[in-house]
Amino acid sequence: MDNRKYMLWLPVVAALFLILGLWLGRALDGRHPDSEARQKLNEVFDIIESRYVDPVDFDSLVELTIPELLHNLDPHSAYIPVDKRVAASRDLEGSFYGIGIQFQMINDTLYVLEVINGGGADEAGMQPGDRIITVDGENIAGVNAGEEHLFSILRGEKDTHVKLGVKRHNTPGLVNLDIVRAEVPVSPIDASYMLNDTVGYIRLGKFSENTYGEFLTVLGQLRYDGAKNYVIDLRGNGGGYMNPAVLVANEFLDRDKIIVMTKGRNLSDHSVVMSDGMGAFNNERIVVLIDEFTASSSEILTGAIQDNDRGLVIGRRSFGKGLVQSPFELPDSSEFRLTVQRYYTPSGRCIQKDYKAGHNGEYETEIFDRYDRGEIFTADSVKVDSTLIFKTTTGRPVYGGGGIIPDIFVPSDTTGVTSYYIKVANAGLLRKFAYEYADLNRESLNESRDANELLTKLPSDNVLLQSFVNYANNKGGIAPRWYYINISAKLIVNQIKALIARDIVGMDGYFQVVNATDPVVNEALHQLENGGADFPLTDKTTDKDNGQR
């Protein structure tokens, strides 16, 4: 009988405990320091809903409120609406389904720069230099078709078909191609080739899902080609995922070296990442190139190399992003990326530059401030916080609080930049001229195996320059100003050659031409030839070169 009474009362007791728990939860929430602010916000929404003169679309109101809320935290926490989420993550994807081309819009027409081997466009017979005029019957030439729209109609589900109308040089009418969409790899490697018989060059554009695998592949190929030293170019690399940067750094470090440390609000956000000694390239000398647009994961890699005295860093002070974001998906599939950690280089420095919550405009224009105060052009103008001095493994001083300062400073090269050059460059005339020249001479130029062979087939510098000046005058309406043209002659001709090389032999060819006169790359070669990158680096190693801080 007692057992039956117990069983009858059990649900009631459970319900009482549940109610008590709910009451305690609300009571405790009432004591939360932020509870009044949250109640205030809810009350504002309630009053708007019940009293505002017109009906209110609360979805739109929330879409406006969330970005403003995150804006007042830090410069890198951000809200991504549903319709922008795919585009926001596209750049860091390892692959997508599409037709397999690289393109550029010139004169409001889609020009094919490169056809990816084995892709759908390659199988259908598309060629570099083709102009895509129609997509599934829709005209996309001369109608100001936006890039997002072009992505949406060229990409699609695997094995689906897309019909293109293509204009090809010396072919009347449109060439009709039926292309099957397939997986297209997105390469994070902008270029890789041999600078000389023993130095391999890698231009790493971003840290995406497939960065580590592709980086290893090109390292191996360069080693096969004879590389014993490597130049890793991180200029313009704005970062991406942290893990690929850690894995790349691990390839160059001995066992039990700190790669990066993170600290957050919670203990679970604290971590120390160590090298495992399994890297295959920990005996080669390396030089890392950076500039003011080198940020985030790129700075993690740079900091790991510099603080462990593993390689030489050359260029200009990096961006200074030391905050780590994590994505949080909301019920409607929108997303916000919240700063949850700060990262620290092996010496213990945080290289996040100063910011004021809610004043992101000042943060975003800080790069331009560097130009204004001359930091881009002289080492003496580089901003250094003398209160934040740290030591590398061999005791070399490095600085925190605003980017990574290179071991050797190389100023921005403005040789040849004149008002004439700025006008023709801003008008896109260098690119247009190079493309049209390549298109007119494609049959003979396509026989070139690399940039060096291609350059032998181009006319003399004087002929190329005169042709361009006439083109700029006739097609762009920019009159010749020979005083400035002569000053800019080498820069103009070199840019044209590089753009033609990109069209004919790809991005490797472009960087082969550009890097031949790049003072930062040339400084890297000089240091490798003269022992400046011998590791472990010491004060004695780096002090022998001017520009070292």
Side-chain angles (χ1 to χ4, degrees):
M1 181 69 177
D2 289 341
N3 285 340
R4 284 201 304 273
K5 285 183 178 179
Y6 174 79
M7 294 299 293
L8 289 170
W9 278 102
L10 184 60
V12 178
V13 173
L16 287 172
F17 271 107
L18 177 61
I19 293 170
L20 180 61
L22 292 171
W23 181 82
L24 284 172
R26 289 192 176 186
L28 290 171
D29 182 66
R31 290 200 300 269
H32 192 282
D34 295 333
S35 62
E36 289 187 8
R38 296 181 188 185
Q39 290 172 7
K40 188 175 183 179
L41 185 61
N42 288 333
E43 188 169 343
V44 168
F45 272 87
D46 289 341
I47 293 172
I48 291 173
E49 184 178 29
S50 61
R51 300 298 303 275
Y52 187 68
V53 63
D54 294 320
V56 175
D57 182 349
F58 272 88
D59 288 342
S60 298
L61 203 58
V62 169
E63 291 294 309
L64 294 172
T65 303
I66 296 176
E68 190 64 24
L69 180 70
L70 296 174
H71 167 81
N72 283 282
L73 296 178
D74 66 79
H76 297 289
S77 292
Y79 174 66
I80 303 171
V82 176
D83 59 339
K84 297 287 192 294
R85 193 174 174 188
V86 172
S89 61
R90 177 191 296 135
D91 195 45
L92 297 180
E93 292 174 350
S95 63
F96 62 90
Y97 294 112
I99 64 174
I101 62 170
Q102 289 188 10
F103 68 86
Q104 189 169 39
M105 295 300 292
I106 301 177
N107 295 330
D108 202 18
T109 302
L110 190 155
Y111 285 72
V112 177
L113 295 176
E114 183 178 349
V115 179
I116 298 173
N117 289 334
D122 184 36
E123 296 291 334
M126 182 168 281
Q127 301 175 10
D130 284 350
R131 306 162 183 78
I132 299 179
I133 307 300
T134 63
V135 178
D136 286 332
E138 175 190 347
N139 179 49
I140 63 167
V143 295
N144 293 317
E147 190 173 89
E148 286 301 317
H149 177 61
L150 294 175
F151 277 128
S152 69
I153 60 178
L154 292 175
R155 296 182 178 187
E157 298 296 321
K158 182 180 181 181
D159 294 331
T160 56
H161 288 248
V162 58
K163 295 182 178 181
L164 305 182
V166 172
K167 176 64 178 173
R168 183 169 293 163
H169 180 65
N170 291 335
T171 301
L174 292 182
V175 177
N176 295 308
L177 301 177
D178 187 349
I179 299 176
V180 180
R181 295 184 179 97
E183 186 173 18
V184 179
V186 180
S187 178
I189 309 294
D190 291 338
S192 63
Y193 67 94
M194 295 294 291
L195 285 168
N196 59 31
D197 291 341
T198 61
V199 181
Y201 171 87
I202 302 173
R203 177 91 176 197
L204 185 51
K206 58 190 171 185
F207 288 93
S208 57
E209 291 175 354
N210 57 336
T211 292
Y212 176 60
E214 291 212 22
F215 189 80
L216 272 187
T217 299
V218 297
L219 273 177
Q221 181 60 52
L222 291 171
R223 174 183 275 178
Y224 178 81
D225 293 338
K228 295 179 174 59
N229 312 291
Y230 296 92
V231 174
I232 303 171
D233 195 343
L234 298 179
R235 290 175 296 175
N237 185 325
Y241 296 135
M242 178 189 289
N243 195 51
V246 168
L247 293 172
V248 169
N250 187 66
E251 285 300 312
F252 299 104
L253 296 172
D254 290 333
R255 184 181 176 86
D256 294 332
K257 300 293 184 182
I258 297 175
I259 296 176
V260 66
M261 299 178 287
T262 65
K263 295 180 182 179
R265 187 172 181 178
N266 303 308
L267 285 176
S268 60
D269 293 322
H270 293 18
S271 68
V272 178
V273 182
M274 309 288 291
S275 58
D276 60 11
M278 300 298 290
F281 295 87
N282 53 10
N283 291 317
E284 287 85 347
R285 295 183 300 169
I286 55 175
V287 176
V288 178
L289 311 183
I290 64 172
D291 65 8
E292 55 275 13
F293 300 106
T294 302
S296 189
S297 298
S298 297
E299 293 173 298
I300 290 176
L301 172 57
T302 305
I305 297 301
Q306 187 178 55
D307 286 10
N308 285 296
D309 299 297
R310 177 60 183 82
L312 195 64
V313 179
I314 298 177
R316 299 187 294 277
R317 180 165 67 100
S318 65
F319 182 88
K321 180 181 182 291
L323 303 178
V324 183
Q325 289 72 48
S326 284
F328 296 87
E329 185 174 352
L330 297 171
D332 65 346
S333 294
S334 62
E335 178 184 288
F336 71 99
R337 296 176 182 177
L338 185 69
T339 296
V340 295
Q341 296 168 312
R342 286 183 174 85
Y343 74 76
Y344 298 79
T345 67
S347 64
R349 54 182 168 149
C350 179
I351 51 83
Q352 173 62 45
K353 64 183 178 181
D354 291 339
Y355 65 88
K356 294 179 182 178
H359 294 78
N360 292 354
E362 297 175 11
Y363 183 84
E364 291 166 357
T365 59
E366 188 271 337
I367 295 295
F368 300 107
D369 294 339
R370 299 187 195 186
Y371 280 88
D372 291 340
R373 62 174 176 263
E375 177 180 330
I376 304 299
F377 309 106
T378 60
D380 290 340
S381 300
V382 176
K383 183 180 178 182
V384 175
D385 190 339
S386 58
T387 66
L388 296 174
I389 301 178
F390 298 81
K391 298 290 185 179
T392 68
T393 55
T394 65
R396 293 188 304 139
V398 288
Y399 301 89
I404 291 176
I405 297 174
D407 301 310
I408 295 176
F409 174 85
V410 178
S412 177
D413 185 14
T414 57
T415 305
V417 177
T418 63
S419 57
Y420 179 85
Y421 175 80
I422 291 171
K423 280 185 179 180
V424 296
N426 287 345
L429 293 173
L430 293 165
R431 180 187 44 166
K432 294 173 184 176
F433 173 81
Y435 188 88
E436 291 186 22
Y437 182 90
D439 207 29
L440 288 169
N441 299 277
R442 194 170 298 277
E443 187 173 343
S444 61
L445 296 178
N446 273 344
E447 298 174 1
S448 307
R449 291 169 296 179
D450 55 29
N452 292 328
E453 185 176 341
L454 171 69
L455 293 177
T456 64
K457 298 179 180 180
L458 298 180
S460 69
D461 290 358
N462 288 336
V463 170
L464 205 57
L465 179 64
Q466 184 65 63
S467 299
F468 171 74
V469 171
N470 293 339
Y471 178 89
N473 187 25
N474 297 331
K475 295 290 185 74
I478 298 178
R481 302 175 67 190
W482 281 103
Y483 173 79
Y484 295 108
I485 291 170
N486 288 330
I487 295 173
S488 300
K490 288 184 179 179
L491 180 60
I492 290 171
V493 170
N494 200 54
Q495 278 291 308
I496 291 171
K497 289 178 178 179
L499 290 166
I500 293 172
R502 182 185 68 172
D503 193 320
I504 301 299
V505 296
M507 290 302 290
D508 284 2
Y510 173 84
F511 282 104
Q512 278 182 276
V513 177
V514 168
N515 287 342
T517 57
D518 186 332
V520 184
V521 174
N522 288 330
E523 179 65 26
L525 287 171
H526 170 74
Q527 292 298 325
L528 287 167
E529 291 168 1
N530 292 278
D534 291 353
F535 65 95
L537 271 68
T538 64
D539 275 332
K540 186 177 180 181
T541 308
T542 51
D543 280 346
K544 62 185 178 183
D545 290 283
N546 57 30
Q548 196 273 334
R549 297 199 61 88

